[in-house]
Amino acid sequence: MVLLVERLTKLYTKLENHHHHHQLEADVLSASLQAFRSDVSNCLNQLLLNPKPGSEILSLSWIQQCFELLPLINRAFTKLVVDIDYSMSSWEVASLDEYLNYGLHLLELLNSVSSSLSHLAHARLSFAHALSLLENSPSWAIKHLKAIQPQSLSKDFKGHVNKEDGEDKFSSCKERVVNQALMEIKNISFWVCGVVLASLSGEAKPYLEIKQLIARFNSALLIGVDSCISNVIVEKGDGLKEVKELNNAAASLASAIVSGKSSDAAKDLERRLAIFEKQLEALEKQVDNLFSEVLAGRNELLLGVRLRKQ
């Protein structure tokens, strides 16, 4: 009887220690996930709290700030993976697939952004051509001073929607934490692209569609900043600041040509076009760099998957 009691006591102690260790691990993982979310939240808040000079919401400078978010939140995600000691080589199929799909859809969204930038670059060339015609063919110049129109995006974003995830598909707490963090960076990255596409195209549609697609995850990190952005894009219907300024300058020049006093208006449009060109080039370079980084990260993970199968 005494021997049985001792065995039962040891078994109970072992189970208790196992439970304590499991609870301690869960607490550590929860703290790491919370720290990650705090870092990401701070990055998001910078869009509203500390805007750079001349970077009003829906300006090209502000769009650059939006894209600066993506490397920051990816670094926060990498830090989380290191903190919980769960490298990509240890991930299960569900998280690997999620990360690969995230990268693929983000590349598609960045391609759409590049298309919108090309549309604006073409519009800039039309205004620049108008200036070149001003001296010899003012009537033809007026024909090239038509306002930049919103770009209708035909891209279907349905393929970017999050799949239903069951809690039972994760075999470990670390896998669950990684997946939750991955959902955060995926939805924030897509949201950023939706905001940028709406700003560049002059239509709220891409923002609203992507917002609807990520709504199921209901990221608390996006609620505050999204409410402010939604007010500007949807309720006020504001477009890109620089486009509005260029359209106004072009309209002023067209009126000045008719009245025969176009010198000052032409200089104003020329000055704005030069600034616009530099801003577009900087943004195009930023998008290209992001595309290269996302593609490199995705290829690196694919290589790791192939090595695991060997």
Side-chain angles (χ1 to χ4, degrees), residues 207-223:
Y207 163 75
L208 292 174
E209 287 186 352
I210 291 179
K211 185 177 177 180
Q212 183 179 10
L213 293 177
I214 66 176
R216 188 189 63 80
F217 186 69
N218 193 29
S219 174
L221 301 180
L222 279 173
I223 293 175

Side-chain angles (χ1 to χ4, degrees), residues 8 12 15 21 27 35 41 67 71 86 102 128 146 171 175 183 185 189 196 231 238 251 253 257 277-278 308:
L8 289 174
Y12 176 78
L15 290 172
H21 174 76
D27 291 343
S41 179
F67 274 138
Y86 196 58
Y102 154 66
K146 295 179 181 178
S171 62
E175 185 74 10
M183 288 295 99
I185 67 168
S189 297
V196 169
N231 180 59
D238 284 352
L253 177 56
I257 292 173
E277 181 180 18
K278 290 181 180 179
R308 279 174 59 174

Side-chain angles (χ1 to χ4, degrees), residues 145 246-259 261-262 265-266 268:
L145 290 173
L246 280 177
N247 283 342
N248 289 338
S252 295
L253 177 56
S255 298
I257 292 173
V258 173
S259 64
K261 300 178 180 179
S262 61
D268 180 54

Side-chain angles (χ1 to χ4, degrees), residues 58-78:
L58 303 195
S59 67
L60 289 175
S61 296
W62 185 79
I63 287 175
Q64 283 187 282
Q65 285 185 263
C66 287
F67 274 138
E68 287 169 3
L69 274 177
L70 302 192
L72 292 177
I73 64 175
N74 278 318
R75 280 199 287 270
F77 178 73
T78 301

